[in-house]
């Protein structure tokens, strides 16, 4: 390792010693310097940030035709030719499509390659070590999200994974994850970050345009037309991917088809897993995307996703010495989203969307002996371990939003939606006004109305947010909102009278963003007024609360070429829900969570090195008997994991008409091999327990991926916030 570091330092020193300078100044039309403007040399990692006079300079070894890429919040990005050692003057124009200087942002993080002031980009998502390129997993490195390793979902500020909902182009994704497996996290069906142009992660206080999320929302907007046609292919021991994207000659429409297949069958032979896999787990996901311009201002987008999962596994039975629990599952899901955006008149915008989801799931649980032969025992608790479930669920949604833009950057949004399931129809109407009261003060007020046919109940959810810009350019934000969410269908079928769960959010936020650095601090308090109780009776008499403070720091300037962020969350939460006998801290909530992400691209060897580290205080665990008696409790070990990711970029066929962009990627999850214990599973009588841990101490990944038509080099090199 020391030899490798010495080589890298030598290469870097040699690189800087013989470089020449790029010199210039960035200003606006009024000749005012734009401090903090980001300047980089296209196709390289060379760049700098403009100082208080708008001036910049940086060394480079690049030769030939050189182009600068310049960007600044609130201004249109620009490319401009440049010569070595020749000063250049760059003038940026204001971008009218950019958000006003004061933006209400309490409770929300914004991501996306086109989002000014974004915290994460699509390249960030795939380059965060250990997340598998999954949007939801990458969000876990932001404050508010818990480090949950034994089940899927975004657990936000003391809320369950079901309390944070996902939306695509304005519509709800009812089943974003594959069927739940015992003690294992599942994959997100819709996970590719390059599918999305904008991503907003809200850990509370989100817009009245969205609903049915008690704790948070992951709001994703798909891209419009691509810049050019492209194709992608990739292979690894666990994953095979292939896709094609075709842009029409008139550049008014495009079509794409992508498929990926994942299986752990061969990997598990190299790295033993616990539980033992009998089938797979195997996944197949096929995506189709059609985008077309309609008229002068319209954009039609059709997205379809079909996913299939088959899993079979054996786990040691905790209630016996030699038996095993066999779990088999098949999951088929079709999701289709159709949206249309247009400007029917001056200062008007109309967004229409509809979505359809159909899911079919088969689950079979049974007992076997040590030789995997079926065993049936009619006594408790063994007879409860033999069951079969076959279910289907169909969901349909339609939504419309009308936006009216007024002089002074005021915006009024109003609309309605219907969500139709097999047992219930939910009707909603909403209105929201964004007021720019002064150049340093903004206000957003909203109201959401919902009516459920199965509950025969209507609710009103007021929401209000405010932002105030301070003299130094930093910003104070505050938000309040009421949020509702229906109980899961399985409970509503048994008790259709259950009212919606209710939570109130209170948020105070401070944000400072300039010169390649971002600091954010947030205080929050969340009160649960109604939570589901399954014992002693099925009702909504549960309650709870959550409060805490969060900090986020991202820095791309202090160390040349290094991009890193640090996130810390303190959480104090208790709830009385499900079978809890009293108010207790839930088993999915850690009081302290720290995450660190660091990325460095070494251009001379065209290699990106990424690390992520997560440290979370131990979560509580409980053993609650069938009669509601708390028999045991404790605190699990501290969660401590370091992940490493490497990506080497090259071109295998540089002389092709469409030069390939190829990446050889490798990674190790839990590099230090620490043993993670998320909690314990207890026997029926409470006399035995088994730790819930990772399937393997470490996970390894290596693969090669090739893109034709789109060169992602600049995405890797672009360090702009």
């Amino acid at each position: 390792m020391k030899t490798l570091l010495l080589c890298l330092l030598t290469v870097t020193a040699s690189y800087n010693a013989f470089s020449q300078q790029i010199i210039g100044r960035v200003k606006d039309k009024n000749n005012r310097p734009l401090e903090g403007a980001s300047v980089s040399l296209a196709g390289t990692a060379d760049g700098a940030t403009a100082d208080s006079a708008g001036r910049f300079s940086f060394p480079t070894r690049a030769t030939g035709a050189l182009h600068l890429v310049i960007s600044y919040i609130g201004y249109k990005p620009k490319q401009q030719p440049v010569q070595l050692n020749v000063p250049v003057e760059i003038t940026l124009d204001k971008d009218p499509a950019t958000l006003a200087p004061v933006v209400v942002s309490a409770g929300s993080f914004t991501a996306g390659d086109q989002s000014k002031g974004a915290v994460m980009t699509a390249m960030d998502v795939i380059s965060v070590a250990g997340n598998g390129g999954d949007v939801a997993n990458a969000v876990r490195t932001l404050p508010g999200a818990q480090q949950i390793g034994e089940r899927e979902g975004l657990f936000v500020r003391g809320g369950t994974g079901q309390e944070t909902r996902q939306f695509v182009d304005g519509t709800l994704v009812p089943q974003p994850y594959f069927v739940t497996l015992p003690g294992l996290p599942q994959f997100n069906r819709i996970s590719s970050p390059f599918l999305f142009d904008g991503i907003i992660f809200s850990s509370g206080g989100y817009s009245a345009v969205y609903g049915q999320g008690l704790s948070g929302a992951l709001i994703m907007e798909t891209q419009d037309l691509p810049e050019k046609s492209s194709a992608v292919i990739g292979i690894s021991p666990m994953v095979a991917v292939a896709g094609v994207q075709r842009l029409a000659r008139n550049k008014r429409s495009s079509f794409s088809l992508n498929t990926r297949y994942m299986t752990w069958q061969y990997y598990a032979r190299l790295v033993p897993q616990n539980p033992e896999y009998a089938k797979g787990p195997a996944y197949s996901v096929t995506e189709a995307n059609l985008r077309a311009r309609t008229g002068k201002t319209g954009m039609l987008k059709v997205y379809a996703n079909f996913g299939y999962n088959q899993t079979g596994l054996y786990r040691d039975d905790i209630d016996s010495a030699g038996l095993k629990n066999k779990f088999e599952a098949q999951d088929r899901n079709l999701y289709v989203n159709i949206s249309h955006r247009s400007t029917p008149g001056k200062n008007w915008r109309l967004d229409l969307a509809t979505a359809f989801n159909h899911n079919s799931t088969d689950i079979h649980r049974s007992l076997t002996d040590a030789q995997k032969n079926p065993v049936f025992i009619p006594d408790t608790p063994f007879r409860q371990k033999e069951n079969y479930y076959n279910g289907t669920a169909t969901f349909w949604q339609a939504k419309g939003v009308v936006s009216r833009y007024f002089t002074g950057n005021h915006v009024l949004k109003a609309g309605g939606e219907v969500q139709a399931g097999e047992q219930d129809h939910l009707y909603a109407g909403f209105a929201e006004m964004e007021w720019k009261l002064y150049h340093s003060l903004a206000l957003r007020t909203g109201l959401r109305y919902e009516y459920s046919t199965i509950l025969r109940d209507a609710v009103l959810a007021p929401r209000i947010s405010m932002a105030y810009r301070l003299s130094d350019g930093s910003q104070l934000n505050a938000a309040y909102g009421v949020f509702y969410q229906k109980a899961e269908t399985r409970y509503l079928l048994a008790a259709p009278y259950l009212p919606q769960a209710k939570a109130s959010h209170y948020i105070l936020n401070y944000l400072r963003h300039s010169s390649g650095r971002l600091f954010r601090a947030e205080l929050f308090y969340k009160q649960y007024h109604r939570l589901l109780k399954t014992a002693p009776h099925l009702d909504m008499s549960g309650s709870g609360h959550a409060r805490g403070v969060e900090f986020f720091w991202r820095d791309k300037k202090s160390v040349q070429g290094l991009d890193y962020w640090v996130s810390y969350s303190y959480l104090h939460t208790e709830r009385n829900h499900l079978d809890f006998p009293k108010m207790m801290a839930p088993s999915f909530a850690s009081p302290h969570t720290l995450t660190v992400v660091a990325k460095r691209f070494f251009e001379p060897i065209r290699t990106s090195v990424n690390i992520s580290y997560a440290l979370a205080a131990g979560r509580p665990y409980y053993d609650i008997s069938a009669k509601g008696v708390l028999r045991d409790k404790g605190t699990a070990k501290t969660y401590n994991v370091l992940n490493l990711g490497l990506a080497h970029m090259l071109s295998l066929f540089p002389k092709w008409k469409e030069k390939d962009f190829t990446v050889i990627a490798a990674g190790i999850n839990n590099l230090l091999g620490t043993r993670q214990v998320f909690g314990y599973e207890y026997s029926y009588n409470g006399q035995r327990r088994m730790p819930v841990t990772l399937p393997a101490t470490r996970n390894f990944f290596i693969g090669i991926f090739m893109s034709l038509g789109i060169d992602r080099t600049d995405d890797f090199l672009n360090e702009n916030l």
Side-chain angles (χ1 to χ4, degrees):
M1 177 60 74
K2 290 183 179 179
T3 303
L4 176 59
L5 290 175
L6 181 60
C7 290
L8 291 175
L9 290 172
T10 302
V11 170
T12 303
S14 174
Y15 173 82
N16 289 326
F18 296 96
S19 61
Q20 301 185 71
Q21 294 288 317
I22 298 292
I23 309 167
R25 178 174 180 263
V26 185
K27 58 186 178 63
D28 64 10
K29 282 189 174 182
N30 298 318
N31 204 36
R32 290 178 298 194
L34 297 180
E35 179 184 6
S38 178
V39 184
S40 62
L41 198 60
T44 76
D46 303 332
T49 301
D51 61 18
S52 59
R55 302 189 182 280
F56 63 88
S57 65
F58 57 88
T60 183
R61 293 182 65 183
T63 58
L66 305 177
H67 289 81
L68 285 179
V69 179
I70 312 98
S71 64
Y72 187 68
I73 297 172
Y75 290 77
K76 293 180 180 179
K78 186 175 185 178
Q79 285 200 27
Q80 183 164 322
V82 67
Q83 297 180 8
L84 293 171
N85 299 319
V86 178
V88 59
E89 288 278 332
I90 301 160
T91 302
L92 296 185
D93 298 323
K94 278 189 172 293
D95 186 355
T98 307
L99 294 175
V102 183
V103 181
V104 178
S105 62
S108 298
F109 277 95
T110 302
D113 292 333
Q114 305 301 322
S115 301
K116 306 300 186 295
V119 173
M120 300 179 72
T121 66
M123 191 56 68
D124 285 332
V125 171
I126 69 165
S127 62
V128 172
N131 75 358
D134 188 290
V135 174
N137 285 342
V139 167
R140 290 174 52 186
T141 65
L142 299 178
Q146 292 284 301
Q147 302 297 314
I148 307 297
E150 75 276 21
R151 54 191 131 167
E152 65 279 358
L154 276 172
F155 294 76
V156 176
R157 292 181 175 173
T160 68
Q162 291 77 22
E163 292 177 16
T164 298
R165 311 303 295 272
Q166 298 186 24
F167 301 86
V168 172
D169 288 337
T171 61
L172 177 67
V173 181
Q175 294 180 309
Y177 297 95
F178 287 100
V179 61
T180 298
L181 303 178
L184 298 173
Q186 269 289 28
F187 292 102
N188 198 322
R189 305 179 198 273
I190 305 172
S191 61
S192 174
F194 290 109
L195 174 67
F196 304 109
D197 188 50
I199 305 168
I200 297 176
F201 168 55
S202 174
S203 51
Y206 57 88
S207 168
V209 176
Y210 303 95
Q212 289 299 299
L214 205 60
S215 289
L218 183 61
I219 302 169
M220 299 168 282
E221 182 180 349
T222 59
Q223 292 183 348
D224 291 346
L225 292 172
E227 295 181 1
K228 59 191 301 187
S229 299
S230 63
V232 63
I233 188 171
I235 189 72
S236 80
M238 292 177 289
V239 182
V241 299
V244 61
Q245 181 172 252
R246 180 68 177 175
L247 178 66
R249 291 185 177 181
N250 61 6
K251 296 186 177 182
R252 290 186 59 85
S253 64
S254 69
F255 176 78
S256 68
L257 183 66
N258 300 278
T259 185
R260 65 182 183 270
Y261 177 76
M262 300 177 287
T263 179
W264 290 76
Q265 180 178 355
Y266 305 106
Y267 176 81
R269 296 176 183 176
L270 300 175
V271 182
Q273 306 283 303
N274 184 20
E276 176 188 353
Y277 295 133
K279 296 179 182 178
Y283 305 85
S284 173
V285 178
T286 301
E287 298 173 305
N289 200 324
L290 171 66
R291 288 164 280 193
R293 296 195 181 277
T294 59
K296 294 183 179 180
T297 63
M299 174 59 67
L300 173 68
K301 295 189 283 188
V302 181
Y303 171 75
N305 176 296
F306 177 76
Y308 174 78
N309 165 231
Q310 184 179 35
T311 300
L313 54 86
Y314 294 96
R315 304 171 68 233
D316 291 335
D317 180 65
I318 195 169
D319 290 298
S320 61
L323 298 180
K324 291 183 177 293
N325 297 120
K326 184 178 182 181
F327 178 91
E328 298 176 286
Q330 290 191 45
D331 176 24
R332 297 162 291 274
N333 193 89
L334 173 65
Y335 173 77
V336 180
N337 180 301
I338 304 174
S339 64
H340 185 263
R341 181 186 71 243
S342 63
T343 54
K346 185 179 180 181
N347 298 322
W348 289 88
R349 170 170 165 164
L350 177 63
D351 291 270
L352 301 173
T354 184
F356 171 83
N357 194 93
H358 179 75
N359 179 268
S360 175
T361 302
D362 302 315
I363 299 175
H364 185 202
R365 294 182 176 89
S366 59
L367 280 173
T368 72
D369 59 21
Q371 287 72 42
K372 316 292 177 57
N373 299 310
V375 173
F376 178 74
I377 302 175
D379 302 321
T380 300
F382 300 103
R383 63 183 179 185
Q384 285 81 14
K385 301 182 181 184
E386 179 78 38
N387 56 72
Y388 181 80
Y389 168 81
N390 172 258
T392 61
T394 301
F395 174 87
W396 172 79
Q397 181 180 6
K399 186 173 185 178
V401 183
V402 178
S403 302
R404 175 69 166 93
Y405 298 85
F406 299 93
T407 303
N409 292 325
H410 309 305
V411 183
L412 173 64
K413 295 182 180 181
E417 65 180 292
V418 57
Q419 299 178 9
E422 295 178 343
Q423 304 296 329
D424 184 33
H425 286 56
L426 182 80
Y427 298 93
F430 47 84
E432 189 171 78
M433 186 72 185
E434 296 184 15
W435 315 77
K436 299 300 186 295
L437 303 178
Y438 189 58
H439 74 276
S440 59
L441 182 64
L443 180 69
R444 185 174 68 195
T445 56
L447 183 66
R448 183 178 178 88
Y449 166 86
E450 293 181 348
Y451 176 79
S452 168
T453 58
I454 192 172
L455 303 180
R456 298 180 181 179
D457 184 37
V459 296
L460 283 175
R463 298 172 193 178
I464 182 170
S465 303
M466 183 177 65
Y468 179 73
R469 187 182 61 186
L470 304 175
S471 58
D472 62 356
S474 60
Q475 189 170 305
L476 286 175
N477 304 278
Y480 162 78
V482 176
F483 301 85
Y484 292 91
Q485 185 171 346
K486 295 187 302 179
E488 296 179 47
T489 301
R490 54 177 172 158
Y491 297 116
L492 288 177
L493 291 176
Y497 53 82
L498 293 175
Q500 295 196 59
K502 178 183 178 182
S504 298
H505 297 193
Y506 305 84
I507 299 170
L508 183 62
N509 167 290
Y510 172 80
L511 177 67
R512 180 172 175 82
H513 181 194
S514 65
S515 303
R517 300 186 181 98
L518 185 148
F519 174 73
R520 175 188 174 110
E522 188 158 297
L523 292 166
F524 67 89
Y525 177 75
K526 181 165 53 177
Q527 180 70 46
Y528 292 101
H529 306 281
R530 289 196 297 263
L531 289 176
L532 180 71
K533 287 286 294 180
T534 57
H537 307 290
L538 184 60
D539 56 33
M540 298 295 292
S541 63
S543 61
H545 66 268
R547 63 177 182 268
V549 61
E550 299 166 353
F551 298 98
F552 180 82
W553 168 257
R554 183 166 187 176
D555 184 2
K556 295 184 176 184
K557 184 179 179 180
S558 297
V559 180
Q560 178 69 30
L562 177 66
D563 175 17
Y564 72 94
W565 67 80
V566 180
S567 170
Y568 169 75
S569 300
Y570 167 73
L571 172 67
H572 179 275
T573 182
E574 291 181 325
R575 56 168 54 193
N576 185 355
H577 75 146
L578 301 179
D579 61 349
F580 276 23
K582 59 181 180 178
M583 192 78 73
M584 301 188 298
S587 59
F588 47 77
S590 171
H592 301 279
T593 303
L594 172 72
T595 60
V596 180
V597 175
K599 304 184 298 176
R600 176 72 187 268
F601 183 77
F602 297 92
E603 189 189 359
I605 57 176
R606 296 183 64 79
T607 299
S608 175
V609 180
N610 313 303
I611 63 170
S612 67
Y613 175 72
L615 178 69
R619 290 152 35 198
Y621 61 83
Y622 307 104
D623 176 28
I624 302 174
S625 71
K627 295 182 179 181
V629 178
L630 181 61
R631 298 185 298 200
D632 190 24
K633 65 178 182 179
T635 302
K637 290 178 57 177
T638 297
Y639 178 81
N640 179 16
V641 62
L642 176 67
N643 302 319
L644 171 67
L646 303 172
H648 176 65
M649 293 181 292
L650 69 158
S651 179
L652 297 177
F653 308 100
K655 296 183 179 180
W656 282 13
K657 181 179 179 181
E658 293 290 348
K659 186 177 71 171
D660 67 289
F661 171 74
T662 300
V663 175
I664 300 175
I668 304 176
N669 289 5
N670 196 20
L671 179 65
L672 302 180
T674 54
R675 186 171 185 263
Q676 314 298 339
V677 177
F678 303 111
Y680 290 89
E681 177 188 359
Y682 286 83
S683 62
Y684 181 78
N685 59 16
Q687 296 180 3
R688 292 185 60 197
R689 71 178 191 181
M690 290 192 304
V692 179
T693 63
L694 295 170
T697 302
R698 296 180 180 89
N699 275 332
F700 305 89
F701 175 84
I702 187 169
I704 182 169
F705 302 89
M706 179 189 298
S707 174
L708 298 173
I710 295 182
D711 190 341
R712 296 287 182 187
T713 302
D714 286 342
D715 292 322
F716 269 98
L717 302 181
N718 184 10
E719 299 297 337
N720 299 329
L721 268 175

